[in-house]
């Protein structure tokens, strides 16, 4: 990558900068299911597990996020859903990440923004615990992902388009670093460069649980909308020559 074309790095958080599959995602699944079961209750009887799973998956497929379906069809407030889904007894004990991430981020040329569908309180606590917060010029959580007063979290192209317009940088100079293929696909369609982090995902599953949702994919195959595939963000610096 030429020195005079320093990129803008857009980093996801969960399963990208830390191993959310280790403890957070199982806990979020339980919390989310409990919230949905209560929301779908009839005459005080909560919805059964099969109904809850079906609703959660259906809304993710249709809207890109279960939250959006719950807001649209059940008048759920985003703050309530996010607060309950990310309620943990001891957040710090659940964090698991590689060493050397601060050094890695310092080696990458260009500005860095955290872009996460997680809520602000949770994502800030995780970033501070990891000591990564000072490496990012901005922290964009799901609460900030509004376009024309509508919540538009990833993989919405609207929020990505708004972000690069606000930053005043062309799409081809942006690099989205993610574990979720749908988000990378959306970014590539806008002309962004993409880096897929796979180290915290199952290598063999045809159906992988990502962030409490279902994604149909072969995780061993690199797709046309992935420019760089790495097991760890620590390998990004070694792959700069493939990001132009």
């Amino acid at each position: 990558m030429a020195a005079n074309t320093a990129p803008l790095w857009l980093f996801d958080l969960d399963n990208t900068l830390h191993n959310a599959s280790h403890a957070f995602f199982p806990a979020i699944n339980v919390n989310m299911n409990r919230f949905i079961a209560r929301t779908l209750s009839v005459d005080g009887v909560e919805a059964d597990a099969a109904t809850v799973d079906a609703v959660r998956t259906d809304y993710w497929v249709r809207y890109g996020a279960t939250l959006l379906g719950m807001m649209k069809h059940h008048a759920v407030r985003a703050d309530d859903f996010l607060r309950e889904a990310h309620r943990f007894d001891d957040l710090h004990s659940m964090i698991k990440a590689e060493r050397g991430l601060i050094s890695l981020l310092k080696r990458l040329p260009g500005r860095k923004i955290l872009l996460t569908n997680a809520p602000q309180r949770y994502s800030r606590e995780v970033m501070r615990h990891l000591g990564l917060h000072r490496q990012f010029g901005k922290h964009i959580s799901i609460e900030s992902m509004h376009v024309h007063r509508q919540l538009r979290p990833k993989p919405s192209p609207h929020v990505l388009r708004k972000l690069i317009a606000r930053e005043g940088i062309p799409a081809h100079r942006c690099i989205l670093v993610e574990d979720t293929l749908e988000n990378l696909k959306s970014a590539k369609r806008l002309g962004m460069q993409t880096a897929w982090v796979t180290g915290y995902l199952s290598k063999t599953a045809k159906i992988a649980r990502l962030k409490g949702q279902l994604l149909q994919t072969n995780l061993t195959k690199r797709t046309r909308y992935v420019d760089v595939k790495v097991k760890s963000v620590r390998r990004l610096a070694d792959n700069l020559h493939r990001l132009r």
Side-chain angles (χ1 to χ4, degrees):
M1 183 175 294
N4 62 346
T5 58
L8 174 64
W9 296 86
L10 307 175
F11 275 86
D12 179 45
L13 175 60
D14 292 335
N15 269 5
T16 299
L17 291 173
H18 75 115
N19 185 355
S21 291
H22 166 66
F24 283 113
F25 287 170
I28 289 172
N29 284 349
V30 171
N31 292 342
M32 193 183 301
N33 283 354
R34 186 182 297 119
F35 183 92
I36 295 173
R38 289 199 306 265
T39 303
L40 300 181
S41 63
V42 177
D43 296 330
V45 179
E46 295 186 355
D48 59 75
T51 299
V52 169
D53 282 339
V55 167
R56 186 181 64 184
T57 303
D58 176 56
Y59 289 167
W60 180 76
V61 171
R62 289 164 64 184
Y63 304 111
T66 300
L67 168 60
L68 297 184
M70 295 300 293
M71 292 171 62
K72 181 179 178 67
H73 297 287
H74 307 283
V76 165
R77 294 178 67 252
D79 289 346
D80 293 338
F81 184 93
L82 293 169
R83 182 184 62 254
E84 293 303 314
H86 292 80
R87 187 184 293 277
F88 311 113
D89 292 333
D90 186 0
L91 180 144
H92 290 178
S93 70
M94 300 168 69
I95 299 174
K96 184 177 182 180
E98 298 177 289
R99 296 181 179 180
L101 294 183
I102 295 176
S103 298
L104 170 276
L105 291 170
K106 288 180 177 178
R107 290 174 59 196
L108 297 178
R111 295 183 294 134
K112 298 156 191 83
I113 292 177
L114 185 74
L115 184 68
T116 174
N117 278 2
Q120 184 180 83
R121 181 176 179 180
Y122 159 81
S123 53
R124 285 197 180 280
E125 281 199 58
V126 172
M127 291 291 284
R128 286 190 177 277
H129 182 83
L130 296 175
L132 301 179
H133 55 291
R134 290 190 177 92
Q135 305 304 316
F136 290 82
K138 293 184 180 179
H139 181 140
I140 301 175
S141 57
I142 192 170
E143 294 96 333
S144 301
M145 295 183 185
H146 284 86
V147 180
H148 303 307
R149 298 185 179 181
Q150 295 292 319
L151 186 64
R152 302 286 190 182
K154 297 178 295 181
S156 169
H158 304 290
V159 71
L160 296 176
R161 198 177 288 118
K162 179 180 179 179
L163 188 157
I164 60 178
R166 186 174 60 207
E167 295 299 320
I169 188 169
H172 69 270
R173 286 177 54 196
C174 297
I175 304 171
L176 180 63
V177 184
E178 271 272 359
D179 67 298
T180 304
L181 282 173
E182 276 302 309
N183 298 343
L184 296 174
K185 186 175 182 179
S186 182
K188 177 54 68 175
R189 285 174 172 170
L190 294 179
M192 293 184 182
Q193 300 176 77
T194 58
W196 185 24
V197 181
T198 65
Y200 301 127
L201 308 180
S202 167
K203 297 177 182 178
T204 57
K206 291 286 182 78
I207 300 179
R209 286 199 174 272
L210 302 180
K211 301 187 176 177
Q213 301 151 350
L214 293 178
L215 174 64
Q216 301 280 345
T217 183
N218 182 344
L219 296 178
T220 64
K221 184 178 180 180
R222 179 176 155 191
T223 71
R224 64 183 180 277
Y225 44 87
V226 172
D227 294 309
V228 169
K229 177 183 173 184
V230 292
K231 288 186 177 181
S232 164
V233 293
R234 294 177 60 186
R235 300 306 301 266
L236 287 174
D238 299 330
N239 287 272
L240 286 176
H241 63 285
R242 294 163 61 190
L243 296 166
R244 58 187 186 279

